[in-house]
Amino acid sequence: MTNSIREFRDTDCFLITGSNTAESHPVISYEVVRAANAGANLIILDPRRIPLVKHATLHLQAKPGTDIYILLAMMHVIVREGWADTAFVEERTEGFEEFAAMLEEYTPEHAALLSGVPAEQIELAARLYANGARAHGTSRYDGRGHSAILYAMGITQRSNGTDLVKTLANLAMLCGQVGKRSAGVNPLRGQSNVQGACDVGCLVNVLPGYQPVTDEAARARVAPKWGVDTLPDKVGLTVVEAINAAAEGTVRALYVMGENPLLSDPDTQHVEHGLRTLDFLLVQDIFLSETAQLAHLVLPAAASLEKDGTFTNTERRVQMVRPVLEAPGEALPDWVITGRLAARYDEIMGIRRDQAAWLYPSTAAIMEELASVTPIYGGVSHARLGNHGLQWPCPTADHPGTAILHVEKFSRGRGKFFAVRASDPVELPDEEYPLILTTGRVLYHYHTGTQTRRSGPLSWVEPRGYVEIHPADAEAVGLEDGAAVVVESRRGTIRTKAHLTEDVPQGTIFLAFHWREAPANMLTHTIKLDPVAKIPEYKVCAVKIVNPRARLKEKASAD
Ligand SMILES: Nc1nc2c(c(=O)[nH]1)N[C@H]1C(S)=C(S)[C@@H](COP(=O)(O)OP(=O)(O)OC[C@H]3O[C@@H](n4cnc5c(=O)[nH]c(N)nc54)[C@H](O)[C@@H]3O)O[C@H]1N2
Ligand SMILES: Nc1nc2c(c(=O)[nH]1)N[C@H]1C(S)=C(S)[C@@H](COP(=O)(O)OP(=O)(O)OC[C@H]3O[C@@H](n4cnc5c(=O)[nH]c(N)nc54)[C@H](O)[C@@H]3O)O[C@H]1N2
Ligand SMILES: [Mo]
């Protein structure tokens, strides 16, 4: 996030897109609702009528995959009407000319045709966002009001996710809505510590602190601190790529730590084939997950409540976690397991290093090493974190941390407008598979359910899976609310319960991926990944729904 959670209570206008904030980020949603109650405008661009829509001024209910046309059209209107922040554009950015020329063809009328959202609504959204307009009440800020963009997986889990993120950045820069309080571009990150994992180098292309592995100078800086002569300069495989390589036999062993790809990766049958083709599958988990059940070896890990360390949250805040329970049986913290493995099998792992260096005395010592190789964490230490943590960039021991990014200048100097054009999802509905399936989450469950489906109270509220279907689509196949339904895509078939609701638009169905008995990823695909981030298009694929009773009847009469 460019900004911090507490600032949202003073935001004048929100644009929330591809984020089911109330169910996925309830604490942040609380700040949004508080601001909306005090008079902030709330614009939601989302194909589903999500719970937060109750508080919205404007719901742009675009068909899945068409949001990019709306965002481009909003910027078309902003430039045309002179609502852009020209001073900001001139002083702080570059590439505007080419970008503005590209916008010309993306009219609101064109966007309306493709998305189903009326052109007037797109124009209104453009005006409210650009000017930071409030619905009522007075702004805390002088001049133009402050607008914040919040987004999550509805934007990124797409074959053009990177384009969409750049488009949101363009919109914020165009209106000067970045580098100031209560504004900015704010990706709401998912797992409690996904931000921290990325920060410290758990990505295939970077060393800690986002230093590219291909950068020779960066490798030369880090290698001696890690006590090795050289570091590999090759970009590794992302999750989906690794599974593909496993299926092809080029990856022969996989060490899966804290993931359940059998349920969470796209195209389950393909994933299962990939995992079963491996010579060796090692799973390190706190439960015997579906993936662990396929493993040759399972190592039991301690859960978050049973260990200490840090989590870095979505506002870049590094925070201490402390154990409140004893780990059961032989379970150990992940860092201990990995360290011991590395020390013992360094030859196999291909990393020759003083063995003692792997056996860290504490997580505080790990943080010390991290701070020494990660410029944005340079001033972070356990001793400094206390009860409130520190927000990176925090380069030195006396630096107070950073609440807002890009205040005087962008990290690269001038902010760059990328002339990003619209593109469509790779698998669109056709005669055979006439509906769009979009997948995601519900409030009461977490991902593949290894944790939340073990909880009685959560399962009383949401005991089993269901698919949300618009009544008109259900009627077309003679389905009633609560009836069994079969959902088919080109990859596979699931059977679950039909939940009829107008919260999804006609032509679109929604299924959460929590349910092992009706796994959404049986249906999703890996046809095309986002070319930069390599994220699969979890949010759009083509499916059909079948009424199993009607099918039985047909069969009976045929017999
Ligand atoms: N209760 C709960 N909370 C969670 C999680 C959980 O499993 N359960 N998981 C955590 C994790 S790891 C993550 S990443 C976050 C995810 O948080 P979210 O991204 O908010 O979760 P999703 O359910 O994937 O919702 C994405 C939103 O995108 C919308 N959408 C679908 N298609 C499109 C489209 O084409 N365009 C646009 N603009 N929007 C679209 C959906 O309707 C939905 O509102 O949640 C975190 N919080
Ligand atoms: N169709 C569809 N698929 C999706 C998504 C979607 O929206 N739609 N969303 C995607 C997103 S954003 C995400 S983040 C992924 C999530 O996908 P996963 O990360 O695979 O899902 P989880 O169920 O969270 O699996 C985490 C595993 O870690 C274990 N675990 C928990 N704590 C610890 C620990 O401290 N140590 C160890 N070693 N293990 C632990 C849990 O028991 C569980 O087995 O799913 C992705 N898949
Ligand atoms: Mo996530």
Side-chain angles (χ1 to χ4, degrees), residues 29 105 134 138 160 322 331 411:
S29 162
E105 68 186 85
R134 299 181 69 84
T138 39
N160 58 346
R322 299 181 177 91
S411 3

mmCIF file of all heavy atoms in Angstrom, residues 29 105 134 138 160 322 331 411:
data_model
loop_
_atom_site.group_PDB
_atom_site.id
_atom_site.type_symbol
_atom_site.label_atom_id
_atom_site.label_comp_id
_atom_site.label_asym_id
_atom_site.label_seq_id
_atom_site.Cartn_x
_atom_site.Cartn_y
_atom_site.Cartn_z
ATOM 1 N N SER A 29 -12.284 -2.599 6.056
ATOM 2 C CA SER A 29 -13.655 -2.269 5.681
ATOM 3 C C SER A 29 -14.309 -1.396 6.752
ATOM 4 O O SER A 29 -15.080 -0.472 6.452
ATOM 5 C CB SER A 29 -14.422 -3.572 5.486
ATOM 6 O OG SER A 29 -15.786 -3.382 5.530
ATOM 7 N N GLU A 105 -9.503 6.829 -27.820
ATOM 8 C CA GLU A 105 -10.493 5.886 -28.367
ATOM 9 C C GLU A 105 -11.373 5.256 -27.268
ATOM 10 O O GLU A 105 -12.397 4.662 -27.563
ATOM 11 C CB GLU A 105 -9.780 4.790 -29.155
ATOM 12 C CG GLU A 105 -8.964 3.865 -28.280
ATOM 13 C CD GLU A 105 -8.130 2.867 -29.080
ATOM 14 O OE1 GLU A 105 -7.000 3.232 -29.490
ATOM 15 O OE2 GLU A 105 -8.619 1.745 -29.278
ATOM 16 N N ARG A 134 -16.868 14.709 -1.823
ATOM 17 C CA ARG A 134 -17.594 14.044 -0.738
ATOM 18 C C ARG A 134 -19.086 14.030 -1.052
ATOM 19 O O ARG A 134 -19.577 14.869 -1.803
ATOM 20 C CB ARG A 134 -17.399 14.793 0.579
ATOM 21 C CG ARG A 134 -15.968 14.878 1.060
ATOM 22 C CD ARG A 134 -15.902 15.608 2.385
ATOM 23 N NE ARG A 134 -16.513 14.809 3.456
ATOM 24 C CZ ARG A 134 -15.868 13.866 4.127
ATOM 25 N NH1 ARG A 134 -14.602 13.609 3.855
ATOM 26 N NH2 ARG A 134 -16.464 13.185 5.072
ATOM 27 N N THR A 138 -17.539 17.880 5.574
ATOM 28 C CA THR A 138 -16.445 18.693 5.041
ATOM 29 C C THR A 138 -15.137 17.917 5.061
ATOM 30 O O THR A 138 -14.885 17.124 5.968
ATOM 31 C CB THR A 138 -16.251 19.992 5.854
ATOM 32 O OG1 THR A 138 -16.439 19.679 7.229
ATOM 33 C CG2 THR A 138 -17.220 21.067 5.421
ATOM 34 N N ASN A 160 -4.332 -10.106 -17.582
ATOM 35 C CA ASN A 160 -3.746 -8.767 -17.779
ATOM 36 C C ASN A 160 -3.684 -8.010 -16.442
ATOM 37 O O ASN A 160 -3.831 -6.790 -16.398
ATOM 38 C CB ASN A 160 -4.553 -7.970 -18.819
ATOM 39 C CG ASN A 160 -6.016 -7.813 -18.422
ATOM 40 O OD1 ASN A 160 -6.495 -8.497 -17.518
ATOM 41 N ND2 ASN A 160 -6.721 -6.917 -19.080
ATOM 42 N N ARG A 322 4.153 -13.276 19.029
ATOM 43 C CA ARG A 322 4.739 -13.974 20.170
ATOM 44 C C ARG A 322 3.937 -15.239 20.458
ATOM 45 O O ARG A 322 2.718 -15.257 20.282
ATOM 46 C CB ARG A 322 4.736 -13.056 21.399
ATOM 47 C CG ARG A 322 5.550 -11.787 21.175
ATOM 48 C CD ARG A 322 5.588 -10.887 22.374
ATOM 49 N NE ARG A 322 6.435 -9.735 22.109
ATOM 50 C CZ ARG A 322 6.008 -8.584 21.598
ATOM 51 N NH1 ARG A 322 4.736 -8.416 21.296
ATOM 52 N NH2 ARG A 322 6.847 -7.593 21.379
ATOM 53 N N ALA A 331 6.473 -30.893 16.349
ATOM 54 C CA ALA A 331 6.374 -29.722 15.479
ATOM 55 C C ALA A 331 7.397 -28.659 15.876
ATOM 56 O O ALA A 331 7.618 -28.399 17.056
ATOM 57 C CB ALA A 331 4.966 -29.135 15.563
ATOM 58 N N SER A 411 9.832 6.472 -6.266
ATOM 59 C CA SER A 411 11.098 5.768 -6.044
ATOM 60 C C SER A 411 11.987 5.837 -7.291
ATOM 61 O O SER A 411 13.195 5.851 -7.182
ATOM 62 C CB SER A 411 10.869 4.318 -5.615
ATOM 63 O OG SER A 411 9.509 3.992 -5.605
#
